[in-house]
Amino acid sequence: MRTVRVLGAVCVVALAGAAVLYGLGRGGSSTAQTAAPPPPAVTVATPLVRQVTDYDEFTGRFEPTATVEVRPRVSGYLTEINFADGALVEAGQVLFVIDKRPYQTALAQTEAQLAGARAQLAFAEADAERSQKLVTSSNISVATHEQRVQQRQAADAALKAAEAAVARARLDLEFTEVRSPVKGRASDRRIDIGNLVVGDGASTVLTTVLAEDPLYFVFDISEGDLLARQRQVGGAARATQGLPVSARRDGEDGWPRQGVLDFLDNRLQTGSGTIRARATFANADAALTPGQFGRLRAPRGEAYEALLAPERAVLSDQIEKVVRVVDDKNVVRQRKVRVGPPQPGGLIVIRSGIEKTDRIVINGLMQARVGATVRPEPGAIEPAAPPAS
């Protein structure tokens, strides 16, 4: 019985010591947990100030400046084709040749008739001169003299008719060589050598030629955009003609092609509420194909000073755009902003809502909770480098 009491006392002492150690341990852990963590670090920068020009973009199509259906002007059998399908041709280049022999014969015949008409006129003139002398001396009647004068006039008219027939025959002979009226790219031949072509100007199409340097870019401007441009130029929408514009085809980066706005239609299309416009672009490298879709960019007004921020720093709050800024007490605040068009390098125009001196959070947005204190680290807003090709 004595042994049992001693062991019981030892156990009570051990349990009490363990309780004291446990209490000390909990007290030390609570102290560590109540220590405040340091404020999170975020990168801030003032807006980038830069001269900016606003642009409107339009979708349209590249079209040839001239489209010509090459047709024969005279009838005959085709004897030559002097171009390759799809080749570039020069203005005046002979593309097709029609059998010349019938037209050479016709020309020779009319030239012979012309020679006869000249001889007949020479005889009639000499006869009229003789009758003039005879009628003066009363050796022939006045009626006979007038008859010979009339014969001279008829011979003169016959000569003019013969000359016209020769000119027509020469023209027909010239038309046996079918030439390209414009410089451009020919389509394929629609008819082969040995076939009969009809020169009525309607039935036979030999090929087509498209003038592709320069090219037109045809697009539509909405009524709202037209009114906006009228306000910018004082009501004269056509003052925008001659405006420098740029374009790109599908798949191109940036706006590598420079042109000029040169046409605005004379009325709005009532069905679509748009007006047709056109710009001209050089195509010396033949990189653009008629009928190809593209995009056109036209400046809207003059350049102005704008505040820019990274697009990633602009957040969406339901239907509003906001940025987060750090005030002079290093507390995060939220500002509602009105944004403009995106700019190259991942930037965007901020039209209102911030000042030049505001410190915008550009990195660490997840840590920048509104109303929380942060540790701002200075940074700079710069356009992002384009991706390596």
Side-chain angles (χ1 to χ4, degrees):
M1 295 299 293
R2 189 178 300 171
T3 304
V4 173
R5 290 194 189 96
V6 173
L7 292 174
V10 172
C11 290
V12 170
V13 172
L15 290 172
V20 171
L21 293 174
Y22 178 76
L24 291 174
R26 284 183 61 86
S29 175
S30 177
T31 302
Q33 288 181 353
T34 56
V42 297
T43 305
V44 297
T46 56
L48 179 63
V49 181
R50 175 177 290 181
Q51 290 289 317
V52 169
T53 302
D54 290 340
Y55 293 91
D56 291 321
E57 293 187 17
F58 304 93
T59 299
R61 192 189 295 271
F62 292 100
E63 298 289 355
T65 51
T67 302
V68 180
E69 290 183 338
V70 180
R71 300 174 184 266
R73 296 189 179 186
V74 294
S75 300
Y77 288 93
L78 202 63
T79 58
E80 296 180 26
I81 298 176
N82 296 325
F83 73 101
D85 292 348
L88 287 171
V89 296
E90 298 293 330
Q93 177 178 336
V94 177
L95 305 181
F96 300 89
V97 177
I98 298 170
D99 189 3
K100 296 183 177 184
R101 292 171 297 177
Y103 298 97
Q104 290 170 338
T105 301
L107 176 60
Q109 183 178 2
T110 57
E111 287 176 339
Q113 293 171 348
L114 175 61
R118 285 174 177 164
Q120 186 66 32
L121 176 61
F123 175 79
E125 286 177 342
D127 199 22
E129 288 178 2
R130 285 192 300 269
S131 69
Q132 178 65 42
K133 295 177 182 179
L134 292 174
V135 77
T136 303
S137 60
S138 301
N139 290 323
I140 62 171
S141 65
V142 174
T144 302
H145 170 67
E146 290 177 350
Q147 183 180 13
R148 292 178 180 179
V149 170
Q150 187 272 336
Q151 290 174 348
R152 182 187 63 186
Q153 293 172 344
D156 183 63
L159 175 63
K160 292 179 179 178
E163 290 174 341
V166 170
R168 177 57 188 268
R170 285 175 178 168
L171 195 60
D172 287 344
L173 180 60
E174 180 182 338
F175 286 159
T176 60
E177 294 182 344
V178 183
R179 301 175 182 269
S180 174
V182 296
K183 178 181 178 180
R185 189 173 298 277
S187 181
D188 59 337
R189 56 188 177 183
R190 308 291 173 80
I191 194 166
D192 295 319
I193 292 175
N195 284 284
L196 176 66
V197 297
V198 180
D200 57 5
S203 60
T204 307
V205 177
L206 302 178
T207 189
T208 57
V209 179
L210 303 184
E212 57 179 23
D213 183 28
L215 279 179
Y216 290 143
F217 185 88
V218 181
F219 61 101
D220 292 328
I221 300 177
S222 69
E223 186 174 358
D225 287 337
L226 179 65
L227 291 173
R229 291 188 173 275
Q230 286 177 331
R231 288 191 292 268
Q232 291 167 359
V233 296
R238 298 187 185 282
T240 58
Q241 294 188 35
L243 182 72
V245 294
S246 53
R248 66 185 176 202
R249 64 179 181 180
D250 188 26
E252 285 185 320
D253 295 326
W255 302 94
R257 306 187 180 277
Q258 308 305 313
V260 175
L261 186 68
D262 65 351
F263 169 76
L264 189 68
D265 210 347
N266 56 4
R267 64 173 297 173
L268 284 161
Q269 300 175 17
T270 55
S272 61
T274 60
I275 190 169
R276 189 165 57 96
R278 186 185 71 196
T280 303
F281 291 87
N283 189 35
D285 58 355
L288 300 174
T289 303
Q292 196 170 30
F293 278 102
R295 296 279 292 172
L296 179 138
R297 186 178 74 162
R300 188 199 310 159
E302 302 294 333
Y304 62 94
E305 186 179 85
L307 304 181
L308 282 76
E311 286 191 85
R312 66 177 183 276
V314 180
L315 308 176
S316 296
D317 185 7
Q318 296 182 351
I319 62 173
E320 297 177 343
K321 297 294 185 181
V322 298
V323 297
R324 291 178 181 171
V325 300
V326 177
D327 63 15
D328 53 358
K329 296 181 179 179
N330 295 339
V331 177
V332 178
R333 305 297 181 188
Q334 186 161 283
R335 298 277 182 83
K336 183 174 69 173
V337 296
R338 186 167 64 91
V339 300
Q343 301 296 313
L347 304 179
I348 192 169
V349 172
I350 307 295
R351 297 201 184 279
S352 64
I354 60 171
E355 303 294 335
K356 293 180 181 181
T357 56
D358 284 334
R359 296 185 296 173
I360 302 172
V361 179
I362 59 174
N363 281 320
L365 286 167
M366 297 297 295
Q367 291 77 30
R369 293 179 300 170
V370 178
T373 301
V374 295
R375 179 163 48 90
E377 297 179 349
I381 296 176
E382 295 179 352
S389 57

